[in-house]
Amino acid sequence: MLNEISIRNFAIIEALSVSFEKGLTVLTGETGAGKSIIIDAIHLLAGGRGSAEFVRHGEDKAEIEGLFILDDPKHPCYKRSADFGIEVEDGMIVLRRDISKTGKSVCRVNGKLVTISVLREIGSSLIDIHGQHEHQELMDDTFHLPLLDQFGGSKISSALTEYQDIYRLYESTLKKLKNLSENEQQMAHRLDLIQFQLDEIQSAQLKLNEDEDLIEEKRKLSNYERIFDSLQSGYNALQGEQKGLDWIGMVMGYMNEAAELDPAYKEIAENVANSFYLLEDAAISLRNEMDFMEYDPQRLNEIESRLNEINGLKRKYGKTVEEVLEYAAQIEEEIETLQNKETHIDKLQKEVAAQKKDLLVEGEELSKLRRKSALKLTKLIHKELKELYMEKTVFEVRFFSDSEVFLKNGIDRAEFYISTNPGEPLKPLSKIASGGELSRIMLALKSIFSKHQGVTSIIFDEVDTGVSGRVAQAIAEKIHHVSVDSQVLCISHLPQVAAMADTHLFIAKNTKDGRTKTTVKPLTEDEKIKEIGRMISGVEITDLTKEHAKELLHLANRLKYS
């Protein structure tokens, strides 16, 4: 849910911080008070189009920040955030957007700078804004099939996964076949090139980790004199004129004598003896190392030359010797394929034919499940529309399938069609023109899909425009129904919707020091009655109006808690 939003220097808002609760939050107030400005700010957090015109006059930039709480550990926002390297701790997501007076936007998610497209990707999983004239998912037919699949649940999800596993193999095989069927001249050039590369790599006779071994040998040869001097000095200290070992031998004799007189010194005597023998072995090892050490300047030149050769191959074919050898193995396989092209084309064609058969079987099974799900969805939509007094409206999911065309999501393309008047033909949902009808259709769809979309907050911006009476009451009940499964923020001019609110926020504007400011105030129970009375009768609020408002609130509470 959207927990809190902070807005600074945005349009007529100087500084505003609003906390939101679960359930249905209704925003009311006079026209022009700034209700839609708050929704515009939330829309920008979701990646909406920004403009310098949003910046409050006389300020350098507008700042918008929103805190979202994820109650569901499987919320899709977790995966989307992880895909972009954004950490989500304690189920909290903070979206921030700054818009400068030049129109430039700076976007952040949990403090990390992101592009506007990344903000939109993450924001779309958190916020779904629906205004009367705004295009969004349910109005875009490219989203209809995914929505149907979400509605279908685990059966469709499982069938879709099986289809897509085969589809990925099919696409890969088609790509290989296409590459082999390219222009003969291009193939010949490609064969010449990779044959030259393979010859170059093979002639070098590379060995794994060879460069690392050579670098180590080079280091030793380059430091020959210093190493030899160190070994010789160490040996001389033990066996030379200073005769370090002789002195330690004397200590060993003294300690053995002391241990014979008093057993308390036995451990010290043993430690000295062990040290003497260890140092004696070290002296022998030092002498042997010096005897076998040999400085070969020619070998150093050979190492330099070999490393240059290896580095030249790494610049062309890989960052390491291992990658160069892997590349050689790849092009060797490609050479074999190109030299026996016809055999491989025949093999790939057979693979494509077999995969097409498998795709058709899985695609048809997926299509059957979708059509069953579409019938179930259609019944639910008709039920919802009937409750919104659109019982004569006909809804239908139309499928456009082609068993010869395989798409990523199956062999189907689906689109929602609707007819709002008896005798009128069914038309695509996007062609519905009437504002009042569109509002009710969208609410019916939202009532069903809000449970499946996983969106944290749904925002309705004056979707109740153009309705009244019993339809207004039905819309109010439907908006409340949606808020049971998702947080809903709603701008409304209908007293019936306001009465259904779990939280009622009053938006007002006032003038101070010659500047207009917007304020937001949560209403108490008495203030709710007064505001709903204003929505019923206008400016003048009579005792009868207040009674009517109280009755609306009483009926709303009875409906909500029944």
Side-chain angles (χ1 to χ4, degrees):
M1 58 172 277
L2 174 58
N3 186 262
E4 186 175 338
I5 187 169
S6 174
I7 306 169
R8 289 180 60 84
N9 302 324
F10 184 75
I12 61 173
I13 297 174
E14 181 182 32
L16 190 64
S17 183
V18 187
S19 296
F20 296 98
E21 304 294 334
K22 291 183 178 181
L24 174 59
T25 297
V26 174
L27 290 77
T28 66
E30 296 287 355
T31 301
K35 300 184 297 296
S36 291
I37 293 174
I38 294 173
I39 302 303
D40 287 340
I42 298 173
H43 187 251
L44 286 172
L45 279 183
R49 186 185 296 275
S51 167
E53 294 178 2
F54 285 122
V55 181
R56 183 172 167 84
H57 178 68
E59 302 295 339
D60 292 329
K61 65 177 180 179
E63 303 170 15
I64 309 161
E65 193 168 46
L67 169 63
F68 294 82
I69 305 296
L70 304 179
D71 296 325
D72 182 3
K74 295 182 179 179
H75 193 284
C77 188
Y78 280 104
K79 184 179 183 307
R80 293 191 189 183
S81 298
D83 289 342
F84 297 112
I86 297 167
E87 293 184 9
V88 179
E89 295 183 0
D90 301 323
M92 293 190 292
I93 288 274
V94 177
L95 306 185
R96 181 183 174 95
R97 188 161 179 190
D98 297 345
I99 301 175
S100 70
K101 61 183 179 182
T102 61
K104 183 180 178 182
S105 281
V106 176
C107 310
R108 288 182 175 85
V109 178
N110 278 2
K112 182 175 181 177
L113 281 169
V114 297
T115 62
I116 189 71
S117 60
V118 171
L119 182 71
R120 188 178 299 119
E121 183 79 13
I122 293 174
S124 65
S125 69
L126 296 168
I127 309 167
D128 182 14
I129 300 177
H130 172 60
Q132 185 182 334
H133 304 292
E134 187 173 5
H135 296 286
Q136 40 87 55
E137 281 190 9
L138 290 174
M139 296 296 289
D140 186 344
D141 58 30
T142 59
F143 287 98
H144 292 176
L145 188 64
L147 284 171
L148 180 63
D149 288 349
Q150 287 175 11
F151 175 78
S154 59
K155 284 188 177 180
I156 288 182
S157 176
S158 177
L160 180 59
T161 299
E162 289 181 19
Y163 173 90
Q164 288 179 332
D165 287 343
I166 300 171
Y167 181 78
R168 278 190 288 271
L169 287 174
Y170 171 70
E171 267 198 325
S172 175
T173 309
L174 274 182
K175 186 178 179 181
K176 291 177 184 176
L177 184 59
K178 183 186 176 204
N179 290 339
L180 273 180
S181 305
E182 282 180 350
N183 183 284
E184 287 288 337
Q185 189 177 11
Q186 289 179 346
M187 284 289 162
H189 288 163
R190 175 66 181 168
L191 184 59
D192 287 344
L193 172 64
I194 59 178
Q195 185 65 62
F196 170 80
Q197 293 175 340
L198 183 63
D199 292 342
E200 185 180 24
I201 296 170
Q202 287 181 337
S203 65
Q205 296 183 327
L206 294 174
K207 297 175 185 176
L208 275 177
N209 303 320
E210 181 183 0
D211 52 344
E212 295 175 9
D213 295 338
L214 288 170
I215 289 169
E216 179 61 22
E217 187 180 355
K218 176 185 173 183
R219 186 186 64 78
K220 288 180 180 179
L221 285 171
S222 300
N223 294 290
Y224 171 82
E225 288 187 8
R226 292 177 63 186
I227 294 171
F228 187 85
D229 288 344
S230 297
L231 295 179
Q232 191 174 51
S233 298
Y235 180 78
N236 288 337
L238 292 171
Q239 295 280 43
E241 292 180 1
Q242 298 178 16
K243 293 189 180 292
L245 270 176
D246 288 350
W247 286 101
I248 296 172
M250 290 171 62
V251 175
M252 181 171 64
Y254 294 142
M255 289 300 100
N256 285 336
E257 185 178 343
E260 288 175 1
L261 297 172
D262 187 345
Y265 299 105
K266 185 179 180 181
E267 185 178 349
I268 296 175
E270 288 176 353
N271 288 339
V272 172
N274 289 336
S275 298
F276 174 81
Y277 294 125
L278 284 172
L279 288 170
E280 191 176 48
D281 289 342
I284 294 169
S285 297
L286 287 172
R287 187 183 63 210
N288 290 337
E289 284 292 326
M290 289 188 292
D291 289 343
F292 286 105
M293 279 187 73
E294 183 180 352
Y295 180 64
D296 184 358
Q298 181 58 36
R299 176 57 184 162
L300 191 57
N301 292 333
E302 289 172 2
I303 291 173
E304 288 281 8
S305 176
R306 181 61 172 169
L307 284 173
N308 286 336
E309 182 182 11
I310 292 172
N311 288 333
L313 292 173
K314 287 199 292 186
R315 280 193 296 271
K316 293 180 182 178
Y317 308 119
K319 294 178 181 178
T320 64
V321 170
E322 185 179 7
E323 287 185 10
V324 174
L325 292 172
E326 286 176 357
Y327 179 73
Q330 290 173 11
I331 59 175
E332 189 173 17
E333 184 179 337
E334 187 178 350
I335 287 168
E336 191 277 330
T337 300
L338 292 176
Q339 288 175 339
N340 300 281
K341 187 175 72 169
E342 297 305 324
T343 302
H344 285 282
I345 286 176
D346 183 58
K347 180 186 173 185
L348 289 171
Q349 285 175 338
K350 289 178 181 176
E351 286 182 17
V352 167
Q355 288 164 358
K356 284 179 76 172
K357 287 181 181 178
D358 292 341
L359 276 177
L360 185 58
V361 170
E362 296 295 339
E364 287 179 342
E365 178 61 26
L366 179 59
S367 187
K368 286 178 185 176
L369 291 172
R370 282 170 170 163
R371 290 169 194 272
K372 286 181 182 178
S373 184
L375 291 174
K376 184 180 177 183
L377 174 64
T378 300
K379 289 180 181 178
L380 285 174
I381 293 290
H382 283 150
K383 178 178 176 292
E384 295 285 341
L385 290 173
K386 184 178 180 181
E387 292 173 2
L388 288 166
Y389 300 99
M390 294 182 72
E391 59 275 0
K392 295 181 180 179
T393 297
V394 179
F395 175 88
E396 182 182 298
V397 180
R398 287 193 177 176
F399 289 90
F400 306 90
S401 304
D402 188 342
S403 59
E404 292 298 315
V405 178
F406 299 103
L407 305 171
K408 180 182 177 181
N409 293 319
I411 59 174
D412 302 312
R413 188 174 68 80
E415 188 172 355
F416 298 160
Y417 273 65
I418 202 159
S419 171
T420 55
N421 297 301
E424 290 295 317
L426 288 159
K427 294 180 181 178
L429 181 61
S430 57
K431 306 294 184 185
I432 298 297
S434 166
E437 289 177 342
L438 180 59
S439 298
R440 283 181 280 171
I441 292 165
M442 299 310 294
L443 275 174
L445 293 168
K446 280 293 178 190
S447 297
I448 296 169
F449 287 124
S450 62
K451 299 175 184 178
H452 303 275
Q453 287 178 291
V455 177
T456 300
S457 303
I458 298 173
I459 298 172
F460 293 117
D461 186 3
E462 299 189 14
V463 295
D464 49 26
T465 302
V467 297
S468 58
R470 63 176 189 171
V471 174
Q473 183 60 40
I475 283 180
E477 293 174 20
K478 198 60 64 180
I479 290 175
H480 166 70
H481 176 70
V482 175
S483 74
V484 172
D485 295 297
S486 300
Q487 179 192 43
V488 173
L489 310 180
C490 180
I491 292 178
S492 179
H493 293 287
L494 289 179
Q496 293 93 332
V497 174
M500 280 287 183
D502 298 305
T503 304
H504 190 151
L505 299 179
F506 181 71
I507 317 297
K509 68 177 180 179
N510 53 70
T511 304
K512 184 178 180 181
D513 299 329
R515 296 298 301 271
T516 303
K517 297 179 182 179
T518 293
T519 59
V520 178
K521 179 185 177 183
L523 298 184
T524 63
E525 201 65 29
D526 288 340
E527 288 170 334
K528 283 182 186 178
I529 293 170
K530 185 177 178 182
E531 172 61 5
I532 292 172
R534 182 193 66 78
M535 296 172 76
I536 293 171
S537 63
V539 179
E540 189 175 346
I541 302 173
T542 63
D543 290 339
L544 185 61
T545 305
K546 288 182 180 179
E547 288 301 315
H548 189 183
K550 287 179 183 178
E551 185 181 10
L552 266 180
L553 283 166
H554 174 71
L555 290 172
N557 286 328
R558 192 170 68 184
L559 281 166
K560 285 195 291 184
Y561 301 115
S562 62

